[in-house]
Amino acid sequence: MKEVIKYFDCFAGIGGFHCGAQKINSDNYTFEHVAYCEVETNAQKVYEVACNAKNIQKINDVRDIATKKNPGGIKVKDFDMLFAGFPCQSFSNVGYRKGFDDPRGQLFFYILDMLDYYKPKYFVLENVQKIHTIKGGNLLGEMKQALKEIGDGYILHTWDLMASDYGLPQKRNRIFFCGIRKDLAEELDIEEPEKVDLSKAKYPTTWHLLEKGNVDSKHYIPAGSRKTILTKPSNWQGDVNIDNSIARPLTATMSKWHRANQDNYFSISYIKGMNPYERPEVDIESEPIRRITPLEGFRLQGFPDKYADIASQLKISYSAQYKLIGNALPVDLAYAVIKHFLDSYLEYNK
Ligand SMILES: C[S@@+](CC[C@H](N)C(=O)[O-])C[C@H]1O[C@@H](n2cnc3c(N)ncnc32)[C@H](O)[C@@H]1O
């Protein structure tokens, strides 16, 4: 008999964890989606349709969930596994590395409170790798310790993984925290999930997922901004290369026309060319150059193409779509982590 793992998708966004879990096909276990929590309206709308969540328990704000500290709160339906890609603004560069002192960093404590109260069998949490450098690494140490000790105690594994090692042409690093309740297993010495050969993936490079036909003219760099975006000021280090076969990490603010060293831009010569691995000669004065479209963004994060249709049917603006995409967890990373973690423990404990 397969174990049915009921999961609660917290800080659900547009469902990176959900899509990753749903792709897993195991002889030992299967999943049941029981609840999700997400505060942002656009994310809720997309999630509800794309993740078929109309009849799933929905909680808007994690701070309203019942825990020991909030006994009158909303009780989450019975669940075995917690997924949580908790907001990372306070941990990333843009958040000034305030860590726990920032109210958004405090959301981590709600995860601890939930683990303490509901005592799920398993959890997988995700965050930005910058967490390593906050307070000289002490913050990460404190988080790991807390996750091991909370509730009845958990066996904890943490992995730093790059999306391009797991089937997506994007340089996106994430740290994962995987826990299994101590009473359920002996601690295993498990390595990170086995890497995937990108050349055999659905989209081996950005070129493979770029729309080859006409796209909305709004996606082309406006004439007045070309110089600032595409040329490197003399006092700058780093590259402003466009036409990268492996994309830079997608950002939530990519509608703001960042400089080329912070974002992803592609020339018509590359898009229409025949060599995905080589940058063509481009006249940056005159050649049309564009940002990625929302469909390409969803693909770069591993979401199925239906996401772009759903977002446009819901009349979600481009900038709001980029925000959802840029905040998302790559589906292929979620898939690799959840599968490897559960396969290791559920196989071993059979
Ligand atoms: C890093 S994103 C997670 C993205 C998600 N894993 C995905 O694949 O799209 C964090 C999410 O937490 C949501 N969030 C922020 N504060 C929240 C709160 N107080 N309660 C519930 N969700 C919250 C944000 O709106 C955002 O969608």
Side-chain angles (χ1 to χ4, degrees):
M1 267 270 282
K2 287 191 187 188
E3 175 175 341
V4 178
I5 301 175
K6 295 180 189 166
Y7 64 89
F8 169 36
D9 195 2
C10 192
F11 305 114
I14 54 171
F17 272 121
H18 166 83
C19 293
Q22 292 294 331
K23 272 174 76 169
I24 298 173
N25 195 351
S26 162
D27 291 339
N28 299 336
Y29 58 90
T30 177
F31 290 105
E32 189 185 328
H33 185 195
V34 292
Y36 72 103
C37 173
E38 172 53 56
V39 79
E40 217 247 312
T41 316
N42 284 325
Q44 286 180 355
K45 284 188 195 161
V46 173
Y47 190 96
E48 189 176 289
V49 181
C51 304
N52 209 3
K54 277 206 172 69
N55 301 319
I56 301 291
Q57 183 185 17
K58 175 172 96 178
I59 298 155
N60 292 322
D61 196 314
V62 75
R63 292 169 291 195
D64 296 334
I65 290 176
T67 59
K68 279 183 196 160
K69 288 182 195 154
N70 186 21
I74 303 162
K75 185 111 176 25
V76 185
K77 280 191 180 168
D78 186 32
F79 63 98
D80 306 299
M81 184 155 196
L82 174 71
F83 295 136
F86 50 109
C88 51
Q89 289 93 332
S90 54
F91 299 137
S92 62
N93 270 339
V94 276
Y96 308 106
R97 303 196 180 182
K98 281 190 269 185
F100 285 155
D101 304 333
D102 183 297
R104 292 165 301 188
Q106 305 280 332
L107 291 172
F108 176 69
F109 293 113
Y110 288 88
I111 296 181
L112 291 178
D113 291 344
M114 285 190 281
L115 294 174
D116 192 27
Y117 184 70
Y118 296 95
K119 301 184 188 344
K121 292 178 176 172
Y122 322 103
F123 63 75
V124 179
L125 317 178
E126 166 261 334
N127 214 273
V128 290
Q129 277 190 340
K130 285 273 153 35
I131 231 170
H132 277 282
T133 58
I134 302 169
K135 290 207 227 158
N138 288 340
L139 181 86
L140 181 58
E142 287 166 25
M143 288 169 78
K144 285 190 192 172
Q145 196 59 30
L147 289 169
K148 284 183 190 169
E149 288 172 2
I150 199 69
D152 295 340
Y154 284 88
I155 298 166
L156 182 72
H157 298 273
T158 55
W159 295 312
D160 288 300
L161 306 177
M162 168 75 102
S164 57
D165 287 330
Y166 293 92
L168 291 171
Q170 187 192 164
K171 289 191 173 132
R172 191 180 189 83
N173 283 307
R174 283 296 180 268
I175 180 168
F176 290 89
F177 305 80
C178 301
I180 175 166
R181 224 173 51 211
K182 251 183 181 163
D183 58 300
L184 297 172
E186 295 289 317
E187 180 156 0
L188 297 179
D189 184 14
I190 42 176
E191 300 286 318
E192 61 191 33
E194 196 180 335
K195 291 181 179 164
V196 170
D197 180 354
L198 193 54
S199 69
K200 300 203 175 94
K202 181 174 180 192
Y203 302 120
T205 70
T206 50
W207 180 87
H208 291 87
L209 57 76
L210 290 168
E211 295 185 63
K212 303 293 184 290
N214 291 340
V215 301
D216 193 331
S217 58
K218 287 191 182 130
H219 296 313
Y220 288 89
I221 303 182
S225 314
R226 285 176 68 98
K227 196 157 181 278
T228 323
I229 291 173
L230 297 171
T231 44
K232 180 169 147 175
S234 53
N235 56 346
W236 271 30
Q237 303 281 322
D239 76 77
V240 286
N241 282 335
I242 60 167
D243 297 333
N244 291 310
S245 63
I246 307 220
R248 295 189 173 92
L250 302 189
T251 65
T253 51
M254 57 188 135
S255 59
K256 290 196 170 158
W257 300 112
H258 298 130
R259 283 180 191 270
N261 68 328
Q262 295 172 321
D263 233 315
N264 294 289
Y265 297 101
F266 295 94
S267 66
I268 292 300
S269 302
Y270 181 73
I271 297 168
K272 303 249 160 127
M274 299 305 284
N275 190 345
Y277 296 93
E278 206 167 281
R279 287 192 189 95
E281 285 279 323
V282 172
D283 180 349
I284 61 162
E285 298 283 323
S286 61
E287 180 163 341
I289 296 175
R290 66 169 178 83
R291 66 186 179 194
I292 59 162
T293 65
L295 172 63
E296 294 160 354
F298 286 118
R299 288 177 175 170
L300 272 166
Q301 294 282 48
F303 291 96
D305 286 1
K306 70 172 183 184
Y307 268 77
D309 297 333
I310 291 168
S312 88
Q313 276 155 19
L314 290 168
K315 300 200 174 359
I316 295 179
S317 68
Y318 285 146
S319 62
Q321 289 190 53
Y322 289 129
K323 184 173 169 212
L324 297 175
I325 293 166
N327 276 334
L329 166 65
V331 173
D332 301 57
L333 271 184
Y335 166 84
V337 170
I338 302 167
K339 182 170 177 1
H340 179 59
F341 176 59
L342 290 178
D343 282 359
S344 305
Y345 275 99
L346 298 188
E347 177 62 26
Y348 173 80
N349 287 301
K350 260 205 304 183

